[in-house]
Amino acid sequence: MKKIDPRMKTVLKKFAESYLQKRKAALAGMDFEARRDDLTRVKDETLENLEKWLELFETQARKKRARVHRARSGLDANKLVLEILKRSRANYLVKSKSMVSEETGLNAFLTENGIEVRETDLGEWIVQLASETPTHMVMPAIHLTREDVALLFSKKLKKEVPGDIPSLVRLAREELRRDIGRARAGLIGANALVAESGSVMLVTNEGNGRLVSAMPPVRIVLASIEKVLPRVEDALLLLKLLPPNATGQAITSYVSFLTPSPENPLDIILLDNHRLEILAEPVFRQTLRCIKCSACLNVCPVYQMVGGKRYGHIYMGGIGTLLTAWVHGLKESRELEDFCLGCHRCESFCAVKIPIAGLIISLRERLNQELGKPLLKRLIFESATAERAIWRRLFSAARAARPVIAGEDDFSRPLPWPLRKYDRHRALPAPAGLSLSERVKKNVKLSNINRRGAKVIVFGGCLVEYFYPEAGEAALRVLAKLGREARLAGPFCCGFPAANAGFRNAASRAFEEVLEDIRDVEHVLTLCPTCASMLKYLGPEILGTGRAKGLAETVMPLSQFILKSARAELEALLHHGSAALAVTYHDSCHHKHVLGAVKDSREALEVALGKKIREMEDSDACCGFAGFFSVSHPEVSASLLEDKLESIRRSQADVVALDCPGCLLQIKGGFKARRAALSVKHTIEVVEARLAGKL
């Protein structure tokens, strides 16, 4: 098991905290959702007619004396650059920042062919001196501290270099401007290619971009084909979103529009490198909207733990995983896709609304089809979770072993030594003595509440059914007190675990069983946001049937239903005064980023409590459970959990409320492993306790 580098984690988390504050300030007064809707529309319309706009760009650029080249592959692009340099008798190339040149391996190719290459972007220059590759698409050396850089400069430049930032920047400026001044050729990337004018838009925070594109007599632009936009207004729209989303700036230091002319000759290389193949994919073509702002990296909980060296090939993070699958091959993306825990946080920040986490699920399907299905996952997702009979037998076996498995307080005993990495950071729950369905049948009061034929159904999910039945019981009791007849759904797996792992057929079988059980209902009230996302979005998309889509319209988190449909009844039942205990609230990932229901849950809690909840810091930070992810990457899961537990401790609350049984398992088990006495409950349990005057 690889350990988390605490130093890198500290650096990346500090950056992420600063980024969020700056981004918020930069977007103040802007309707981010409206702007990204507009940019998404422009990108989609452009991709729909990509060849038309590329041809117009070429025509306009050539009219102004640019030489425009098409490169089918990365190697073709590298050869074109080499040809241009040799034709111009240039053996020294200075470069502005270009991730596309990283994609093609340009530096190594040119070096092998006798061309000296110097990066002039500060971050790129630092990683070049360190013989490393970028770990971030916008800030290549984000993983290094200023002390690291000072040591590196001292070693490479053979002189003592102070560690303060002004000294480091001054030294870099002196070195790089001297290099630019002696170069015969310069290469830049592009943030946009404007078809109507044949211009190249370049956005930078350092003056090197302008120097590289102006001083050397030979000027090369290397850009991928999806960077083309029809009009200048479209480029300006991109410009309004790119700096705030990339670096938290209202605008970057330098925005340049380079238009070719006889006085300003340009060689422009347009790189395909499998992008037309992505464009032909109805699902994956959305990837080509990407404007490389890296907001998805800046907010990714896994990236903040492990950085771009582990969570990256050339491109990093979730979007990098998708690009890697085509640009560098499916095999290179196999390890990367496993790092995505599916929290969907990236999608809330993406400037062009790319459903990154959803596309990674689709990528997993493709990987399973073309590279084969991992044996362990095949056993779990095609057998255990997808077949109800097998799942029930497994639970029955676990229940039979409960006297051996169970320790104290309904937690399992520690796992044996070979498996200790999976429960070292959290205690695991013991299976319930009786499942939720069995408990309801055996309890006369609950059996009477569980009304057959009721139009309102409570869908608990597997963890509630087999490990936390008290949450399901609380749901039935609260609804009864609010005057709502309800019944439990059958003990079926919704199919999400299989779907998330890319086992589409297994997920489809499981979801069809749910559809057979849930018929003729007005509301399906969920106790698990992951199940809700399956019932409401992913399942209907997989099946594509009218009945599945009809079910989706009925699905709603239980706390949201109470707030919207039974608030008056809840308020009427409450005792006077407020709860004695302080309650904080953890935002479960799917509940916030997929269902958008955390505000409703907070409000429902505050109505029940009769007072405000006590907000924790980073309430929406992932707890690290993410189902199978916590087994695949226990060290990342443990690190995320430790941060979450610390946020809860600092809130000084008595009770943690949440809406996801997976988060309940992770956080409750985390406190148990640390022998901390703090109550962790599902939101509906908190509401029930308040109605009973026990809170």
Side-chain angles (χ1 to χ4, degrees):
M1 180 177 73
K2 292 183 179 179
K3 293 184 178 180
I4 298 295
D5 180 348
R7 193 162 157 275
M8 178 179 288
K9 174 184 170 180
T10 299
V11 170
L12 294 176
K13 282 187 70 64
K14 282 184 178 178
F15 162 74
E17 291 166 3
S18 172
Y19 163 78
L20 288 173
Q21 294 172 0
K22 291 178 180 177
R23 180 181 181 273
K24 183 178 180 180
L27 290 174
M30 180 192 297
D31 188 337
F32 175 70
E33 292 300 326
R35 284 273 167 82
R36 73 175 187 154
D37 282 343
D38 290 342
L39 186 56
T40 300
R41 175 183 50 77
V42 167
K43 291 291 288 185
D44 282 345
E45 290 174 357
T46 306
L47 291 171
E48 193 65 37
N49 296 283
L50 184 60
E51 188 57 37
K52 167 189 168 182
W53 297 116
L54 285 171
E55 288 179 359
L56 178 59
F57 174 80
E58 289 186 51
T59 299
Q60 294 300 96
R62 284 178 176 144
K63 278 182 183 179
K64 295 166 183 174
R65 304 297 176 86
R67 289 182 290 269
V68 184
H69 318 265
R70 293 278 191 116
R72 184 175 179 182
S73 68
L75 180 59
D76 290 341
N78 293 345
K79 287 179 177 179
L80 281 167
V81 174
L82 180 61
E83 180 185 314
I84 294 165
L85 295 175
K86 286 187 172 180
R87 184 180 67 225
S88 307
R89 297 182 180 180
N91 58 9
Y92 184 70
L93 175 72
V94 287
K95 292 173 59 197
S96 181
K97 188 176 182 307
S98 167
M99 277 305 297
V100 172
S101 70
E102 296 286 346
E103 172 186 324
T104 67
L106 178 64
N107 289 12
F109 176 85
L110 292 179
T111 301
E112 289 170 3
N113 284 276
I115 305 294
E116 187 178 353
V117 183
R118 176 53 54 95
E119 298 286 355
T120 65
D121 172 86
L122 178 57
E124 289 279 0
W125 184 52
I126 290 168
V127 296
Q128 184 183 35
L129 287 177
S131 300
E132 296 182 1
T133 55
T135 58
H136 190 281
M137 287 187 280
V138 174
M139 289 154 283
I142 192 175
H143 59 293
L144 299 173
T145 65
R146 63 187 181 191
E147 291 80 13
D148 295 330
V149 175
L151 286 172
L152 176 66
F153 284 2
S154 298
K155 179 181 178 182
K156 293 294 181 178
L157 302 178
K158 295 182 171 54
K159 61 181 179 181
E160 192 66 28
V161 177
D164 62 288
I165 290 176
S167 295
L168 295 173
V169 172
R170 184 168 54 252
L171 183 148
R173 183 183 296 118
E174 292 169 357
E175 292 285 330
L176 293 173
R177 289 196 175 184
R178 184 173 60 248
D179 291 337
I180 293 170
R182 71 182 182 89
R184 280 190 48 78
L187 182 143
I188 64 170
N191 295 98
L193 305 168
V194 184
E196 69 175 4
S197 64
S199 304
V200 175
M201 186 177 81
L202 182 64
V203 179
T204 65
N205 268 318
E206 301 167 24
N208 68 305
R210 284 188 177 174
L211 293 172
V212 165
S213 61
M215 290 182 65
V218 180
R219 300 154 193 173
I220 306 169
V221 178
L222 177 59
S224 51
I225 55 176
E226 82 279 7
K227 291 294 180 71
V228 71
L229 290 172
R231 296 162 292 274
V232 172
E233 306 93 87
D234 303 324
L236 294 176
L237 174 62
L238 183 150
L239 186 60
K240 290 174 182 176
L241 285 173
L242 179 58
N245 236 31
T247 56
Q249 297 169 276
I251 193 166
T252 50
S253 303
Y254 301 91
V255 178
S256 305
F257 282 85
L258 290 83
T259 302
S261 69
E263 298 77 30
N264 182 35
L266 292 175
D267 276 281
I268 303 173
I269 300 171
L270 302 177
L271 176 67
D272 173 2
N273 207 23
H274 303 285
R275 284 167 175 81
L276 291 179
E277 293 175 28
I278 304 176
L279 187 64
E281 295 271 356
V283 174
F284 292 103
R285 69 184 305 172
Q286 298 171 88
T287 305
L288 295 179
R289 293 180 195 153
C290 180
I291 64 172
K292 306 296 187 301
C293 68
S294 292
C296 52
L297 294 182
N298 299 343
V299 300
C300 174
V302 177
Y303 179 86
Q304 290 172 22
M305 294 294 122
V306 303
K309 288 187 177 180
R310 286 183 65 189
Y311 195 8
H313 178 60
I314 300 299
Y315 294 109
M316 308 92 188
I319 191 66
T321 301
L322 296 166
L323 289 169
T324 296
W326 270 265
V327 172
H328 294 110
L330 283 173
K331 287 184 179 179
E332 297 293 348
S333 70
R334 168 123 265 177
E335 184 176 351
L336 299 184
E337 59 80 11
D338 198 44
F339 269 116
C340 177
L341 48 68
C343 68
H344 293 265
R345 194 181 192 203
C346 53
E347 298 173 2
S348 298
F349 287 79
C350 179
V352 282
K353 303 181 75 169
I354 302 171
I356 297 171
L359 291 178
I360 286 177
I361 291 176
S362 297
L363 174 61
R364 288 168 180 158
E365 294 174 20
R366 181 70 59 88
L367 289 166
N368 287 342
Q369 292 166 3
E370 299 196 15
L371 299 185
K373 302 171 183 177
L375 178 60
L376 177 60
K377 290 186 177 181
R378 192 166 73 241
L379 290 172
I380 293 172
F381 298 120
E382 286 193 331
S383 299
T385 61
E387 301 294 340
R388 181 173 39 145
I390 295 175
W391 187 235
R392 282 181 170 177
R393 282 197 290 271
L394 286 173
F395 174 71
S396 296
R399 184 173 56 189
R402 181 179 164 84
V404 177
I405 295 173
E408 57 182 16
D409 300 331
D410 289 324
F411 284 96
S412 295
R413 300 180 191 278
L415 293 173
W417 174 78
L419 303 175
R420 284 294 292 134
K421 63 182 179 180
Y422 300 119
D423 74 346
R424 186 181 292 118
H425 62 285
R426 62 165 183 217
L428 294 173
L434 293 173
S435 70
L436 172 60
S437 301
E438 292 167 336
R439 285 171 70 152
V440 169
K441 285 180 182 178
K442 288 180 176 290
N443 185 305
V444 175
K445 289 184 179 179
L446 285 173
S447 185
N448 289 335
I449 290 173
N450 187 39
R451 299 296 180 88
R452 185 177 299 176
K455 300 293 185 181
V456 173
I457 288 185
V458 175
F459 192 95
C462 297
L463 284 176
V464 169
E465 176 70 18
Y466 296 116
F467 291 92
Y468 301 111
E470 57 274 11
E473 293 176 328
L476 288 176
R477 284 194 286 261
V478 168
L479 287 169
K481 288 181 180 180
L482 296 175
R484 301 297 193 274
E485 290 189 350
R487 68 176 175 88
L488 284 178
F492 303 103
C493 175
C494 66
F496 180 84
N500 187 55
F503 290 79
R504 191 180 185 91
N505 290 336
S508 177
R509 294 199 308 272
F511 188 66
E512 283 178 333
E513 284 196 320
V514 172
L515 278 180
E516 287 300 314
D517 178 64
I518 301 176
R519 290 175 173 272
D520 190 29
V521 297
E522 293 176 0
H523 298 287
V524 177
L525 308 181
T526 58
L527 297 176
C528 173
T530 305
C531 292
S533 66
M534 182 69 184
L535 300 180
K536 195 169 183 66
Y537 300 113
L538 189 53
E541 182 271 318
I542 288 173
L543 286 188
T545 63
R547 193 149 63 89
K549 293 173 183 176
L551 169 66
E553 295 175 0
T554 69
V555 176
M556 180 184 295
L558 176 56
S559 56
Q560 192 176 69
F561 173 80
I562 291 172
L563 183 68
K564 293 183 181 299
S565 302
R567 178 173 183 150
E569 291 89 338
L570 177 61
E571 290 175 338
L573 288 171
L574 290 170
H575 301 286
H576 293 294
S578 60
L581 300 180
V583 178
T584 191
Y585 182 76
H586 161 68
D587 297 340
S588 303
C589 293
H590 282 81
H591 202 56
K592 177 171 185 175
H593 299 296
V594 179
L595 303 177
V598 292
K599 289 183 180 179
D600 293 319
S601 290
R602 278 177 166 77
E603 191 171 348
L605 276 169
E606 289 175 350
V607 169
L609 295 169
K611 64 179 183 181
K612 292 286 185 181
I613 62 172
R614 184 173 293 178
E615 291 287 356
M616 71 174 83
E617 297 174 12
D618 301 321
S619 62
D620 65 344
C622 180
C623 70
F625 175 64
F628 199 80
F629 178 88
S630 63
V631 177
S632 299
H633 298 286
E635 82 288 4
V636 180
S637 176
S639 190
L640 289 168
L641 174 60
E642 189 56 57
D643 289 350
K644 174 56 63 175
L645 298 182
E646 183 57 31
S647 292
I648 294 170
R649 289 188 195 102
R650 287 198 298 266
S651 76
Q652 297 185 324
D654 305 299
V655 180
V656 184
L658 41 75
D659 281 275
C660 177
C663 298
L664 179 64
L665 182 155
Q666 181 85 337
I667 295 172
K668 190 172 185 176
F671 278 122
K672 175 65 177 177
R674 291 155 183 79
R675 301 187 181 279
L678 195 142
S679 179
V680 185
K681 293 184 176 296
H682 194 287
T683 295
I684 196 61
E685 294 181 87
V686 175
V687 173
E688 186 199 20
R690 179 66 180 143
L691 287 173
K694 297 178 180 178
L695 195 65

